[in-house]
Amino acid sequence: MASALGMTATLAGCGGSGGSSEVTLKLVAADYGDSKANSSQRYWDKLAKEYEADHPRVRVEVSVYSWTDVDRKVKEMVAADDAPDLAQIGAYADYAAKGELYRVDDLLSIPVQANFVPQLTDAGETDRTQYGMPFASSTRLLFYNKTLFSQAGLTPPQTWSELAADAKALKSEGVKFPYALPLGPEEAQAETMQWLLSGGGGYTDDVGTYSIDSPQNIKTLTWLKDELVGKGLTGPVAPAKLNRADAFSAFTRGDVGMLVGHPTLMQKAAKKGVKFGMVPMPGIDGRAKATMGVADWMMAFRKNGHGKQLGDFLNFVYDDKNVLAFSREYDLLPVTASASEAMAADKNEQDLGPFLDQLPSSVLYPVGKTSWAGISADVKKQIARAVSSGGSPTGVLGKLQITATTQDSAA
């Protein structure tokens, strides 16, 4: 269905009926599947076919790309003056800042707008105007290997000191990665944010100003450096070299005692026969007050001027039936309140319950800042040095803060 990449076609009326036009909406989307059998292309093709059946003058052409390529692909299309009508990708702020996107309230009905989970609505705003529509979300929990914990006589940790003690006991039992700390370039910004939140900090303060070198954040990374990495409790691969995908694979092999994970890890571990449990992230003196939430975004480009058709199609996309179908297919959390309630009430979805419970207290990346993409890239490159031997949490966080402040002011 995605071969034409969506030029708008104006067709002459047939059989003497006055003129009529057929609009083709071009959608570029990310692939959440891990094989051709469960590619997101199948989901979107089915959805487009259902929509077109009731809207014969609208065609929806979908091109699905891997996460490695999709953001770059959309950027190249926009630069070539060939923006898609819709993009379902990882970030929206740069396009919003350049005036290239429709406002959400110009597209969606009021009931659909009001139905988004509040945290996700807030994260979709730039300068108090919503341009990003949340499309998929997840939260994080601490996964632990029940077999390894049982063999070591352990219970899941609720505090940092308990986590360190459990990791020490697991190491003495010969566990390869007592706590897997993936600070490699794949997703270091996520592992870092989860730990910063558990220490009462984060990338920004309560009013949205970067606070990367806050006392709480320095304390968190210092603890990680001294109590986990420095004591050899994070395994044989240095955190700077360990990517999330590799840490997940090690968990599914039974080589990891504990790590932070999202819903898709459940399915991967279950397929490998790993018995696991999940608990909220430990904090300094008890369970962390906040967890990390992640959302991917849908955005509508103004260039082709199909506002009416885009709004109608998007209202269909965000119908509960469709939101739930996508979330269930890929072990993700629904982005609407009503679909979240339906999932929570479904006895067949109870394994996602702990992640749903975390969503109301979740904190998302500051994606509404155009500077965030650059800061996130800097975190990926630099943060592991803060917890390495001879590293300086104060120094690394201080440099990141200077860069963040400078880039935010420029933006």
Side-chain angles (χ1 to χ4, degrees), residues 324-338:
L324 284 167
F326 187 86
S327 301
R328 287 166 174 158
E329 176 68 25
Y330 299 107
D331 283 330
L332 294 164
L333 303 184
V335 296
T336 63
S338 56

